Each structure stands twice: as structure tokens, then as C-alpha cells.
Amino acid sequence: MKAVNIVLNVVWLIIWGLWMAIGYALLGLLMFIFIITIPWGIASLRIANYVLWPFGRTTVERHDAGVASLLGNIIWLVLAGIWLAIGHVIAGVAFCLTIIGIPFGIANFKMVPISLVPLGREIVPVDAPYATR
């Protein structure tokens, strides 16, 4: 299965992943300009890493995240999250229009939760989603 993940990740990187990662990275760097938005910048760079190589990885909720993560996610949702999620949904639907694009559409749908609420989530390998807790 790892060989399939590698092939899918390479094709994803060429077709869509590099552009999405650049977008998330630019958003993250923009967030670093203002001191108060650094946590969102870190989250955006973490998502950029995930967008580059999504197959074989997933996100899990961190149970030690507190009220600060909740408040940060609400602000993120209003400022950037909803727009990023809409972009992933539109891209997912577009990819699912072809049979070959279905795995890439599913990968886009898989990124909607972390693009909506990135704080308090962790990116882990699919074969060990609870190994980090």
C-alpha cells in the first residue's frame, strides 16, 4: 500500500499539491507579519506540509487543546477557514468528475476539517493515528 501512496502523492504534488502548499505557505508567512497571528501562521504552515503529501496521513483531534484553541479556531474560521474549505470542496467536486481524479477529490474533502479548524488538530500517519497520544 505504501507504493500506491507514493504514486498518488507524486501525482498529487504535480497536479494540485504544490499550488495549494504555496498558497498555505504564503498565508502562513502573511500571518507571521503580525505578532498576534503567529499561531495561525504556524497552523497554516503545518497544513501546507500536509497538503504537499496527504496520502498515508490523516488528522486527529488533540484532546489537550483548550479554550485558546477554540477561540483561535473561531477567528480562523471567519478570516480564512471558510474560504479555504470552500476551495477544497470545489476542487474535490471537480476532481471527482473523472474516475482518475476520485482519489484526489477525496483527498481534498479530507482536508476540509483541518482547513476549517486547524488549531487543536495533529497530522499523523494513517497506520498509527493514535501513536502520538
Side-chain angles (χ1 to χ4, degrees), residues 19-64:
W19 299 109
M20 287 300 294
I22 289 171
Y24 275 108
L26 288 175
L27 179 65
L29 294 175
L30 180 70
M31 298 274 185
F32 278 116
I33 292 174
F34 306 107
I35 303 297
I36 198 164
T37 58
I38 287 177
W40 295 295
I42 293 169
S44 185
L45 292 177
R46 214 179 38 226
I47 299 170
N49 179 14
Y50 180 51
V51 168
L52 274 176
W53 210 254
F55 295 97
R57 298 194 297 174
T58 189
T59 62
V60 293
E61 185 178 337
R62 290 182 50 198
H63 295 291
D64 60 346

Side-chain angles (χ1 to χ4, degrees), residues 78-106:
V78 172
L79 295 178
I82 193 75
W83 306 111
L84 294 169
I86 288 170
H88 282 297
V89 168
I90 290 171
V93 169
F95 275 117
C96 286
L97 292 176
T98 65
I99 292 175
I100 292 176
I102 289 174
F104 306 116
I106 292 171

